[in-house]
Amino acid sequence: PGSAWLSSFVVLGTICICLLLFGRRGDLSAQATVYGAIAGILYGVSATLMKPVVENLHTDGAVSVLESWELWVMAIGGLGGFYVQQISLATGKLVTSVATVSVVNPVVSVMLGVLVLQERLDQPPAWHVVMAVVGLALALLGAVVIASVSEGAREAEATRAQPVAPCRPHTAAQDRTRR
């Protein structure tokens, strides 16, 4: 129903606005994370809307798809996500940016699939659900650890690699030759 989509868009839009308001004040890693999260949210919305668009195409045809709001919101979400991801990548913190997008996108897609599209898996045993949640948590933790360790190592290496020019006093003869 449209009310479920509307409420999910309001919640996700509020999250994106809050991220922009509070996240732009940090260092480059924080900015890469904020923009990466926003891109992941937009990609997640776009990916979730793919299902109703394809189903509408299959049942009602191309004209119906072009008339539906889902196609246009999916396109805007995908293009907006691409634009925001480029901002995230422009910070130079590539590992942080890509890891954040890679984690947030499927989380948002799954949440929208369950809450809005009411997707359900077959009733697996309870331990399957626990293992899936643990696996998702470990993947999230792994992405955060990899991003923080890789960026920290690169920053330390960049700091060590910068040459330091020795300071030499200038003589009057050197000043005359420069003129």
Side-chain angles (χ1 to χ4, degrees):
S3 61
W5 282 111
L6 183 61
S7 61
S8 65
F9 292 155
V10 168
V11 168
L12 292 173
T14 303
I15 291 170
C16 289
I17 290 169
C18 289
L19 284 170
L20 277 175
L21 290 176
F22 297 111
R24 294 189 321 179
R25 299 181 184 147
D27 63 347
L28 289 178
S29 292
Q31 290 177 10
T33 302
V34 165
Y35 288 120
I38 294 169
I41 290 170
L42 292 173
Y43 283 149
V45 168
S46 182
T48 305
L49 285 168
M50 180 68 71
K51 181 182 181 192
V53 168
V54 171
E55 285 178 349
N56 198 9
L57 178 65
H58 180 69
T59 58
D60 300 329
V63 173
S64 177
V65 169
L66 292 173
E67 293 173 347
S68 72
W69 65 267
E70 290 98 341
L71 173 70
W72 303 107
V73 174
M74 180 185 80
I76 291 168
L79 292 172
F82 179 77
Y83 177 74
V84 174
Q85 186 175 22
Q86 296 309 304
I87 295 171
S88 177
L89 293 170
T91 63
K93 305 297 182 183
L94 303 180
V95 174
T96 305
S97 172
V98 172
T100 306
V101 172
S102 298
V103 169
V104 173
N105 177 0
V107 168
V108 170
S109 297
V110 168
M111 288 177 61
L112 286 174
V114 169
L115 297 174
V116 177
L117 297 178
Q118 299 174 353
E119 294 286 330
R120 302 287 185 257
L121 297 174
D122 292 335
Q123 288 296 330
W127 69 272
H128 284 189
V129 175
V130 170
M131 292 304 294
V133 170
V134 168
L136 180 61
L138 287 175
L140 176 60
L141 177 65
V144 169
V145 168
I146 288 170
S148 63
V149 169
S150 296
E151 290 298 328
R154 285 186 186 168
E155 288 174 2
E157 184 178 311
T159 303
R160 278 185 270 131
Q162 292 177 349
V164 177
C167 293
R168 296 183 198 148
H170 291 283
T171 63
Q174 288 174 331
D175 287 337
R176 275 186 246 127
T177 58
R178 287 186 191 167
R179 293 182 201 165

